[in-house]
Amino acid sequence: MSSASRIRNELEKLKSALRSVNYELDSLNDEELTHGEPQPLLRLLHFVLLRYSAPLARFVSEQGYSELIGASDFKFIGAVYKCSRELFGHNPALSVTQFFSKGFVERKLVFVAHFVRFCKSKSDELEPGKNRKVNVPSRVFGAKPTHASAASTGVASAPERSSTPPLAVK
């Protein structure tokens, strides 16, 4: 696989991770990202750590990473790396200096995508039940109406019995 196709692949993985945290992908500049520009990556890291989830931001601050707010870019990324190592057990594959230099595109994209996923996972842990999609049966796909849909039509229905045990929710 060529370098360009690996970079495109990593960019798609990053976009997928960003979708999971409800990041507005229209604001991404693919050209900047595929050239390894640090500024768009810094914006993504800032969003996921400080704006995506209030409980996550509070948790990170309570763990002693309050220097993330108002820090210079260099200090911010240093704190992000420290957070990645200490809170998530992930050692970045590039140095802070490499993060700010040209090149290392694939490594930068991989790191940010992993970090977004770590933050999403921690946020879900801190807010169980929130940010989770609920599957609602639909008549369009042949599902039988549930209590909720029966209530909306005014027709009562008995609960369905299933031979499979219910799934435990963590």
Side-chain angles (χ1 to χ4, degrees):
M1 185 183 290
S2 74
S3 176
S5 59
R6 283 195 317 269
I7 289 170
R8 277 194 303 277
N9 187 34
E10 294 306 330
L11 180 60
E12 288 309 312
K13 288 179 185 178
L14 174 59
K15 286 180 177 182
S16 175
L18 291 170
R19 274 188 220 89
S20 76
V21 295
N22 305 318
Y23 188 83
E24 186 60 46
L25 294 180
D26 294 343
S27 64
L28 285 181
N29 182 330
D30 289 2
E31 189 172 326
E32 285 180 334
L33 290 170
T34 57
H35 284 94
E37 296 291 332
Q39 289 307 317
L41 297 171
L42 287 166
R43 284 192 299 268
L44 298 176
L45 291 168
H46 189 271
F47 168 81
V48 75
L49 264 179
L50 303 174
R51 294 194 331 225
Y52 161 62
S53 164
L56 176 65
R58 191 171 28 261
F59 170 77
V60 169
S61 179
E62 289 169 354
Q63 297 302 310
Y65 298 95
S66 56
E67 71 270 15
L68 291 168
I69 300 170
S72 68
D73 291 347
F74 196 80
K75 285 186 179 181
F76 175 80
I77 200 66
V80 166
Y81 273 38
K82 183 178 176 187
C83 179
S84 180
R85 284 189 305 273
E86 294 177 358
L87 296 182
F88 302 129
H90 180 261
N91 209 5
L94 69 160
S95 70
V96 172
T97 305
Q98 289 170 328
F99 185 89
F100 286 104
S101 66
K102 284 283 190 183
F104 305 100
V105 178
E106 189 175 355
R107 287 183 182 185
K108 291 175 186 179
L109 295 174
V110 168
F111 169 70
V112 175
H114 282 164
F115 195 79
V116 169
R117 283 190 219 100
F118 292 139
C119 289
K120 166 77 168 136
S121 177
K122 189 61 175 180
S123 176
D124 289 348
E125 180 184 315
L126 294 168
E127 295 183 280
K130 183 150 177 137
N131 298 328
R132 302 203 192 275
K133 293 183 179 178
V134 178
N135 291 327
V136 179
S138 169
R139 288 182 147 257
V140 174
F141 297 111
K144 295 181 181 177
T146 62
H147 289 291
S149 62
S152 66
T153 61
V155 177
S157 64
E160 291 185 48
R161 301 210 185 262
S162 173
S163 61
T164 58
L167 297 175
V169 178
K170 291 183 181 181

